[in-house]
Amino acid sequence: MTIARFWRETPRRYNLGGSRCSVCTTVYFPPRTVCPTCTAHRQSLGKMEPFQLSGEGEVVTFSIVHEPAEGFEMQVPYALAIVKAVEGPLLTGQVVNVVPEEVKIGLKVHATFRKLREEGAAGVIHYGYKFAPKEEAGTGPRAGREAEPAPTPALSPDPSRARA
Amino acid sequence: MRDVAILGIGMTKFGELWDHSFREIGIEAGFQALVDGKLGSHDLGGLYLGNMASGAFLEQEHIAPLILDYAGLAGHHLPAIRVEAGGASGAMALHEGYLAVASGAYDFVVVGGAEKMTDVSDTEAARIVDATADTEWELVFGATLPSLWAMVARKHMHEYGTRREDLAALPVHDHQMASKNPLAHFRNKVTLDQVVNSGMVADPLGLLDCAPLSDGAAAVLLGPLEGARKYTDTPVKIAASQVACDTMALHHRRDLTTMDSTVFAGKRAFSQARRKPSDVQVAEIDDAYSIGGLVALEDLGFVAKGEGGVAMRDGRFFGKGPTQINTSGGLKAQGRPFGAVGVAQVVELVRQLRGEAKERQVAGAQVGLAHNVGGTGATSVVTVLERMN
Ligand SMILES: [Zn+2]
């Protein structure tokens, strides 16, 4: 993926900035400009507000990936999950800080900011969210290759996104 | 709208066709369809070509006129139209061709599907096909097409008690059928143990749960049903052609074990054809991933939600029930040249409905159904065919 295309979404990938429909209060991630729930009457146009997810959620389903996506070769096997955020939206992301065999449906997780992958010979590094078991929040032993936390985001968070 | 018939069919071998170019296979399938349908190329109204990613695979875009040109038809100045819908590109091209003839805009069109996937490395090919899922919100986080379908499988197992072996039963059946199909990518049979113990791709899916990357092309000639017997002894009517779409990302679906695009395309197709699942004797189901075939049978109404696993275990669709699936060998064993798949499914159904499927023939087949999926189900296309006696 080109650098511009990746960095355009960086605030959302760093800060879990979604949106909430001010008409029906449904929360979306990533943000949307039109609410699928109220679309029929176009009521939501221009009424979607920034909304930041807390990062808390639960594993709804998962897979242990052995044939990786490009740029993830060094991480196999890794756990990939669909996580339901407590605010409602569902997200896809890796589950780290846990041996893959211990990932279960129903596992409570929270978002953590990590290196996602390195791209190509130029070594462009992409950062974004992954999920970690909640009980180990910030204290548990990290799986070796996941030990490197992401640096401070180069783009500062937009304060308007922090209203949740 | 008038009734539309399939007048001719054509298909190349599927597999790693290293000594054949994209243009060669595209033309071969198309001409077979024209010859089979006894139509002179001067009567042709246009070409629809299903193709997912020629630009990424071959660094060649704008391929519809390219195929038309090398078929020797550039001088006719016909319209040639490329159609893309990920893994459902072929069935979507058929849908477009069907609408064109049904509307009366064109009388005769060739619908082709072609993909050349083995000129790039497997890693590169995987990256290209993964892009039929959501690049920004799935792939960036480490998802691949197999891992997304694996998450559907895990959820289905959790919700309904579906077993690993139930998933494996479909590839076993597919390889069994493909062993009787000379054009199939794989002709070898595999056992349940071999599928279950095949190298893990994305748990719970192994290598043998996943369709291969193939080269290949398929084509059909469409025309008005009225007068069709001038071109073929056994016209096959397109009784329904329906498309439905859903959210791009799997995680945004209403239910992670139901492809609503398949549910809606299926309902609309059965309604248009005035048929029900039990009327169908032969079905080609998109089983790019074994779990995909299983949930499709549920979503199309062939079995109740959650009972797909038991149906696989019992072999209900492998010759023991009213509907037999994937006599071609399915995507798993006949092969998966993306843009050609949906057209090849229909080619196999026409063989069955004409009674020309030889060793694979399902006795008395009158009604056939094809189901073709893009991505993880953001697009589904369902086609119902009927033999005209
Ligand atoms: Zn709303």
Side-chain angles (χ1 to χ4, degrees), chain A residues 13 61 63-64 70 78 92, chain B residues 127 136 142 151 201 203 251:
Chain A
R13 295 214 180 93
T61 185
S63 172
I64 310 300
E70 208 174 14
Y78 56 89
T92 296
Chain B
R127 192 182 61 74
E136 304 278 349
M151 292 199 286
V201 172
D203 194 2
H251 56 240

Side-chain angles (χ1 to χ4, degrees), chain B residues 17-295:
Chain B
L17 309 177
W18 283 330
D19 48 351
H20 294 282
S21 70
F22 179 79
R23 9 192 135 184
E24 285 170 343
I25 60 173
I27 292 157
E28 182 187 336
F31 270 117
Q32 280 182 27
L34 280 176
V35 170
D36 185 47
K38 302 183 185 70
L39 188 86
S41 48
H42 50 276
D43 289 327
L44 204 56
L47 167 72
Y48 287 85
L49 182 60
N51 172 268
M52 182 186 72
S54 67
F57 283 119
L58 308 169
E59 297 181 14
Q60 179 68 64
E61 306 289 12
H62 207 184
I63 53 169
L66 175 84
I67 295 295
L68 195 76
D69 180 7
Y70 278 80
L73 300 174
H76 295 249
H77 306 297
L78 298 176
I81 299 153
R82 173 181 173 178
V83 180
E84 190 273 323
S89 298
M92 193 70 91
L94 183 80
H95 181 70
E96 293 298 319
Y98 161 79
L99 290 178
V101 176
S103 70
Y106 305 133
D107 284 333
F108 300 98
V109 301
V110 166
V111 175
E115 207 81 51
K116 190 97 178 72
M117 308 177 79
T118 68
D119 283 359
V120 299
S121 71
D122 286 356
T123 309
E124 180 72 2
R127 192 182 61 74
I128 294 166
V129 304
D130 282 349
T132 58
D134 189 330
T135 298
E136 304 278 349
W137 299 103
E138 295 182 314
L139 305 189
V140 156
F141 298 97
T144 59
L145 267 190
S147 63
L148 292 167
W149 282 102
M151 292 199 286
V152 175
R154 174 89 56 199
K155 186 75 171 154
H156 202 279
M157 294 162 106
H158 181 79
E159 296 282 316
Y160 302 112
T162 303
R163 303 172 191 169
R164 173 69 186 89
E165 295 74 24
D166 301 339
L167 303 175
L170 186 49
V172 171
H173 166 76
D174 281 348
H175 276 257
Q176 166 74 21
M177 296 312 298
S179 72
K180 304 174 191 173
N181 179 355
L183 297 179
H185 188 153
F186 295 124
R187 307 289 309 278
N188 62 312
K189 296 177 189 174
V190 299
T191 65
L192 208 62
D193 277 352
Q194 282 175 311
V195 180
V196 169
N197 296 314
S198 58
M200 199 55 86
V201 172
D203 194 2
L205 300 182
L207 184 64
L208 290 177
D209 289 278
C210 306
L213 303 166
S214 316
D215 305 329
V220 292
L221 171 65
L222 306 184
L225 179 63
E226 194 179 333
R229 280 181 206 281
K230 205 173 134 192
Y231 304 96
T232 176
D233 295 336
T234 318
V236 170
K237 177 184 164 184
I238 299 182
S241 170
Q242 293 287 342
V243 175
C245 295
D246 202 347
T247 64
M248 187 65 179
L250 177 66
H251 56 240
H252 285 144
R253 301 287 160 71
R254 178 187 62 79
D255 173 16
L256 294 174
T257 61
T258 304
M259 297 298 145
D260 276 344
S261 59
T262 297
V263 171
F264 278 81
K267 274 185 183 160
R268 291 170 190 162
F270 282 121
S271 165
Q272 185 189 352
R274 296 189 179 84
R275 293 286 184 182
K276 54 188 186 305
S278 59
D279 295 331
V280 175
Q281 291 88 37
V282 281
E284 291 286 313
I285 302 295
D286 194 315
D287 62 338
Y289 305 93
S290 55
I291 180 64
L294 190 156
V295 297

Side-chain angles (χ1 to χ4, degrees), chain A residues 21-26 28 35-39 44 48:
Chain A
C21 172
S22 62
V23 179
C24 73
T25 75
T26 309
Y28 297 97
C35 173
T37 310
C38 334
T39 283
S44 65
M48 302 299 286

